[in-house]
Amino acid sequence: MSGLANKKILLGVTGGIACYKSAVLLRALQSAGAEVRVVMTPAAQAFVTPLTFQALSGHPVYTELLDPAQEAAMDHISLARWADLVMIAPATADFMARVATGQANDLLATLCLATETQIVLAPAMNRQMWLNSATQDNLQRLIQRGYLCWGPDDGAQACGETGPGRMLEPEALCQLVENYFSPGTLQGVKVLITAGATREPIDPVRYVGNRSSGKMGYAVAESMRDLGAEVTLVSGPTALTSPSKITTIQVETAAEMYSSVMAHVDNCDIFIAVAAVADYRPNHIASNKIKKNKEILALELVKNPDILAEVAAKNDPPFTVGFAAETDQVEQYADEKRRRKQLDMIAANRVGSRVGGFESDQNALLLLWQDGREELPMMEKSYLAQRLAERIAKQFHARN
Ligand code: C5P
């Protein structure tokens, strides 16, 4: 592998148990051709000694901000400018909080302030710490400043709990670094994506909604961006952070999503409809909260426009990809939908079973296009989105 030949990567290691994996990451980056220098925080050195990273990288490890010997070898400003990419793996909650507030109280935090290079965080921490709104607020601030965040994964944690907060595996991180530096198969391609559920108001406090979390749509948007595409994401309300380097437009109802898509679609090459758009909306929205004074309350619903079908039926449509959630006869129903809506590709998933689907972090997809199919087995939505993005890129280029 030489996908990272001539690339200089500054690997920042902060103090979490996942830092034993950073040694493997260092090796993977080197095997891909990168030149790597390591900076460790004091807490990281409580888990792994600098000697480990020194022996693996073949270079001294930088640990001190005010050490004359280290500053003589390469001062912190030069080190900050040396790198083509600064990768913090693992990034602890404490480290994220410190850089979010612009602190310069150790060498690595100072480097983050002093560099104009892209900084990537690979967070690793206990799930409660990850989900804490303090951590999420800090992450949001960092993303707004242009930081990239890769992971974390969901799964078993060193503390014995299960949930989000595992650092991505070294091989996956290394692949993301390679994708970051590769020109991308979608360089210069404009992609429009819908994600999340829509909310159709009934009265000022209630709405008709569905269980879509938006995770799949956001992951697809990030994967298309990582292939080099210029991505616009039209999102219904979700609990997710707007991804960096993606134009995100927040909408609430199907009608708003429709208007937003129609305003942007003529300027896009690929349209991917991942959103779980409400098929119907209440015919009348009550102006006041509806009182519970009737035994039976009938709600009259009218059909919403089918955004995907309308885009595909345009005169000069973009490459259109739809999703199909089916409970049975998945392939047959999905393929019928693909043909009926004149889609270039459909991604079908089985819903209603215990694993995968709407609120889950995992999913499996069956991809169908005019003369081909690909089955993507159950995996994390972020990996699944990468595989889907690669397939869309391939079929897009084949059609053009
Ligand atoms: O026909 P069905 O709703 O099952 O099709 C699902 C696909 O159509 C998804 O890609 C979804 O984003 C899209 N869709 C849409 N507008 C609607 C309903 C569905 O874009 N009103």
Side-chain angles (χ1 to χ4, degrees), residues 71-86:
E71 283 282 301
M74 176 137 54
D75 70 82
H76 63 276
I77 300 294
S78 312
L79 196 54
R81 295 193 181 147
W82 170 84
D84 297 313
L85 183 75
V86 176

Side-chain angles (χ1 to χ4, degrees), residues 172-254:
L173 286 173
C174 187
Q175 185 60 56
L176 286 166
V177 175
E178 287 197 49
N179 293 351
Y180 172 81
F181 283 114
S182 78
T185 53
L186 292 177
Q187 208 70 40
V189 175
K190 294 195 172 78
V191 181
L192 182 63
I193 300 177
T194 65
T198 62
R199 287 182 181 172
E200 310 300 325
I202 298 171
D203 68 15
V205 294
R206 304 184 180 94
Y207 59 83
V208 177
N210 64 67
R211 293 180 190 279
S212 169
S213 63
K215 282 179 190 162
M216 193 63 209
Y218 277 56
V220 171
E222 290 180 311
S223 298
M224 296 302 277
R225 173 203 64 197
D226 293 342
L227 289 180
E230 195 182 305
V231 181
T232 302
L233 176 66
V234 180
S235 170
T238 70
L240 305 171
T241 306
S242 299
S244 61
K245 299 190 168 66
I246 287 177
T247 306
T248 307
I249 301 165
Q250 300 288 348
V251 297
E252 191 155 322
T253 63

Side-chain angles (χ1 to χ4, degrees), residues 139-307:
L139 175 67
Q140 188 104 31
R141 286 168 85 171
L142 292 169
I143 284 177
Q144 276 162 8
R145 282 183 215 152
Y147 278 59
L148 289 173
C149 179
W150 293 344
D153 237 344
D154 214 284
Q157 302 207 301
C159 54
E161 297 182 11
T162 302
R166 280 171 63 89
M167 188 170 86
L168 288 185
E169 293 302 327
E171 298 73 21
L173 286 173
C174 187
Q175 185 60 56
L176 286 166
V177 175
E178 287 197 49
N179 293 351
Y180 172 81
F181 283 114
S182 78
T185 53
L186 292 177
Q187 208 70 40
V189 175
K190 294 195 172 78
V191 181
L192 182 63
I193 300 177
T194 65
T198 62
R199 287 182 181 172
E200 310 300 325
I202 298 171
D203 68 15
V205 294
R206 304 184 180 94
Y207 59 83
V208 177
N210 64 67
R211 293 180 190 279
S212 169
S213 63
K215 282 179 190 162
M216 193 63 209
Y218 277 56
V220 171
E222 290 180 311
S223 298
M224 296 302 277
R225 173 203 64 197
D226 293 342
L227 289 180
E230 195 182 305
V231 181
T232 302
L233 176 66
V234 180
S235 170
T238 70
L240 305 171
T241 306
S242 299
S244 61
K245 299 190 168 66
I246 287 177
T247 306
T248 307
I249 301 165
Q250 300 288 348
V251 297
E252 191 155 322
T253 63
E256 286 169 12
M257 187 172 273
Y258 176 85
S259 307
S260 185
V261 166
M262 293 307 158
H264 293 87
V265 74
D266 288 336
N267 192 29
C268 83
D269 306 296
I270 300 177
F271 175 64
I272 313 173
V274 196
V277 186
D279 291 323
Y280 292 90
R281 66 178 182 278
N283 198 10
H284 300 289
I285 305 171
S287 44
N288 296 316
K289 187 180 169 194
I290 298 171
K291 297 286 174 214
K292 53 174 175 191
N293 50 14
K294 288 184 187 162
E295 279 312 307
I296 294 180
L297 181 70
L299 204 57
E300 191 181 37
L301 300 172
V302 286
K303 208 162 190 180
N304 274 326
D306 190 321
I307 304 170

Side-chain angles (χ1 to χ4, degrees), residues 12 31 43 73-74 116 137 356:
S31 307
M74 176 137 54
E116 287 183 348
D137 287 351

Side-chain angles (χ1 to χ4, degrees), residues 78-112:
S78 312
L79 196 54
R81 295 193 181 147
W82 170 84
D84 297 313
L85 183 75
V86 176
M87 169 139 211
I88 317 291
T92 59
D94 173 72
F95 187 75
M96 286 167 59
R98 287 194 286 121
V99 281
T101 49
Q103 295 186 40
N105 47 7
D106 67 16
L107 176 60
L108 189 55
T110 307
L111 286 172
C112 289

